[in-house]
Amino acid sequence: MLENKHILLIVGGGIAAFKSLDLVRRLRERGAQVTPVLTKAGSEFVTPLSLAALSASKIYQDLFNLTDEAEMGHIELSRAADLIVVAPATADLMAKMAGGHANDLASTLLLATDNRVLIAPSMNVRMWTHPATQRNLATLQDDGVLVVGPNEGDMACGEYGPGRMAEVPEIIASIDASLTDGPLSGKHVLVTSGPTHESIDPVRYIANRSSGAQGTAIAKALAALGADVTFVTGPADIAPPMDMTVVQVQTAQDMLEAVQAARPADAAVFAAAVADWHVANAGDSKIKKDGAGLPQLEFAENPDILATVSQMTKDRPKLVVGFAAETDDLIANATAKRLRKQCDWIVANDVSPETGIMGGSENAVTLISDQGAESWPRMTKDAVAATLAARIAEALA
Ligand code: C5P
């Protein structure tokens, strides 16, 4: 997919720079040509020699280098690529970019370019959450800079929180998406899919019959239009797609947390069949059949992920799409659900057994929006996905 694509990779000075070496390898495996630019701070973490060996390219480090300028000036270097990737993008590099500084080779290239730029921020959690960095992030996003990550997790400095650079497959998925010219290029879309498993004890769980087929098809159709898709899936029958960020979860609570961590998104499609309840008195050890009578399960309500995201006041996706699988009064129930949950669209389908839709390869849906109900002809789940993805692209245009 990256055959003949030329990527200028700016490696900033952070502990995550070691991941950039792997990024170079993976990009080259996919046919991309990588030209590395190493900042002074970056060279404290990785050596020019390792980058040169892995990229099979000359490494650019200095703004004032007569040999480089004679071969390829910095303006040309910044424009020859299809995409500029900054990984790791440190707080300092982000500040320079947001402020329009040009006092070293990396910042000068970033100011001189007319190309698309993707950054993978990486820094200490307090630096990331600092108002100055968040301000810079907002400025960069307004300027059209694409951002992947950071992720939440343990940090090299011993703290925990957001600030870890995105993993290499996630960066590659974002690179793919940003180089694919489609109506959803540069858009981040979140998709939930599959069933959830709610534990009864360590070996038993409550599940449902969702195969994950429709959600997977939607994620693929969105990616095919150029979207950067985050796919949050419960334990589904269908293998998750390869070319996107996949987060595998078990329970509704896990799914909500994964969705929250993946935001912000331009659109969100909630195709998962989320369990309505979890077992409040789930056992830590296996419940025994010991003659003491039947186990008494107590249920507690699960969070409604669709309603939670629809009703967010900050960073709500521009378009939130829910599903309604109904067996009776399809349109009336789905219309009421749209209003109750406050999502923008509901994709409603009749899952009565005689339709053969649950577990089948076809679907007959009605799209419910503030414009009313629009019934689509019965078609394959892939065709439903492609039609929905095209409508999402129109809505985000
Ligand atoms: O209320 P009901 O389960 O019928 O709503 C279905 C829609 O709500 C689907 O889009 C589903 O993904 C979403 N949902 C959710 N979290 C829940 C229950 C449903 O996101 N706990």
Side-chain angles (χ1 to χ4, degrees):
M1 199 157 176
L2 293 175
E3 208 64 46
N4 301 323
K5 295 290 183 193
H6 180 188
I7 291 164
L8 187 77
L9 174 66
I10 296 177
V11 179
I15 188 67
F18 77 92
K19 289 192 203 169
S20 304
L21 296 176
D22 190 35
L23 178 63
V24 173
R25 287 183 51 197
R26 302 296 161 217
L27 288 171
R28 292 199 63 224
E29 273 170 15
R30 294 172 143 246
Q33 178 196 341
V34 184
T35 303
V37 172
L38 188 58
T39 65
K40 189 162 183 305
S43 68
E44 302 287 340
F45 292 89
V46 293
T47 67
L49 195 58
S50 356
L51 269 176
L54 289 167
S55 63
S57 159
K58 179 177 167 55
I59 309 298
Y60 293 85
Q61 290 184 272
D62 300 319
L63 183 54
F64 302 110
N65 182 315
L66 290 180
T67 330
D68 290 353
E69 283 300 311
E71 278 174 18
M72 187 191 268
H74 59 257
I75 303 283
E76 207 182 326
L77 187 59
S78 77
R79 302 206 181 146
D82 295 297
L83 178 72
I84 300 190
V85 178
V86 187
T90 58
D92 180 58
L93 263 173
M94 285 177 63
K96 279 183 176 168
M97 287 173 77
H101 290 237
N103 57 359
D104 61 7
L105 181 62
S107 53
T108 304
L109 292 174
L110 286 160
L111 196 63
T113 191
D114 55 2
N115 271 314
R116 195 170 282 172
V117 178
L118 170 73
I119 63 170
S122 165
M123 67 200 70
N124 166 274
V125 55
R126 292 220 185 276
M127 292 169 77
W128 174 250
T129 52
H130 194 285
T133 304
Q134 290 301 309
R135 239 183 353 256
N136 291 335
L137 175 69
T139 303
L140 293 174
Q141 284 177 316
D142 275 353
D143 290 348
V145 170
L146 306 171
V147 184
V148 52
N151 293 340
E152 189 168 311
D154 288 321
M155 317 210 65
C157 53
E159 290 185 53
Y160 182 91
R164 278 169 65 103
M165 188 166 88
E167 297 303 326
V168 170
E170 294 172 64
I171 299 176
I172 289 185
S174 294
I175 291 174
D176 268 340
S178 51
L179 286 173
T180 308
D181 278 328
L184 287 173
S185 292
K187 303 284 186 203
H188 179 211
V189 186
L190 188 61
V191 179
T192 69
S193 178
T196 62
H197 284 182
E198 307 295 334
S199 291
I200 296 173
D201 66 20
V203 295
R204 304 181 180 96
Y205 58 82
I206 295 173
N208 61 63
R209 294 186 207 285
S210 166
S211 64
Q214 188 64 83
T216 305
I218 291 168
K220 286 184 178 167
L222 290 163
L225 295 186
D228 172 12
V229 180
T230 300
F231 186 63
V232 179
T233 176
D237 298 342
I238 311 264
M242 298 291 287
D243 53 351
M244 60 187 68
T245 304
V246 176
V247 187
Q248 290 181 308
V249 298
Q250 296 283 323
T251 66
Q253 184 59 39
D254 295 344
M255 190 172 272
L256 175 64
E257 284 165 22
V259 164
Q260 297 283 34
R263 289 188 318 114
D266 297 285
V269 181
F270 293 95
V274 185
D276 291 312
W277 310 283
H278 65 270
V279 181
N281 59 343
D284 290 334
S285 50
K286 188 179 168 192
I287 302 170
K288 288 283 181 213
K289 198 167 52 174
D290 55 6
L294 296 174
Q296 299 295 319
L297 299 185
E298 285 166 23
F299 287 93
E301 213 165 300
N302 271 334
D304 189 317
I305 306 165
L306 170 62
T308 305
V309 172
S310 297
Q311 291 164 28
M312 270 166 183
T313 48
K314 194 167 168 273
D315 284 342
R316 181 194 190 273
K318 189 174 163 209
L319 182 70
V320 180
V321 183
F323 276 69
E326 304 283 344
T327 51
D328 306 287
D329 296 330
L330 179 69
I331 309 276
N333 279 328
T335 303
K337 192 167 291 183
R338 188 184 88 84
L339 296 174
R340 194 170 63 245
K341 303 215 186 199
Q342 294 175 31
C343 55
D344 302 295
W345 296 352
I346 283 270
V347 180
N349 56 355
D350 183 347
V351 288
S352 310
E354 62 274 17
T355 63
I357 283 172
M358 203 82 177
S361 62
E362 290 192 335
N363 207 350
V365 308
T366 300
L367 182 68
I368 293 172
S369 68
D370 60 358
Q371 306 292 308
E374 178 190 317
S375 291
W376 296 353
R378 189 176 173 118
M379 50 183 132
T380 62
K381 287 185 176 172
D382 285 346
V384 169
T387 311
L388 182 65
R391 293 294 286 268
I392 291 173
E394 269 173 39
L396 293 186

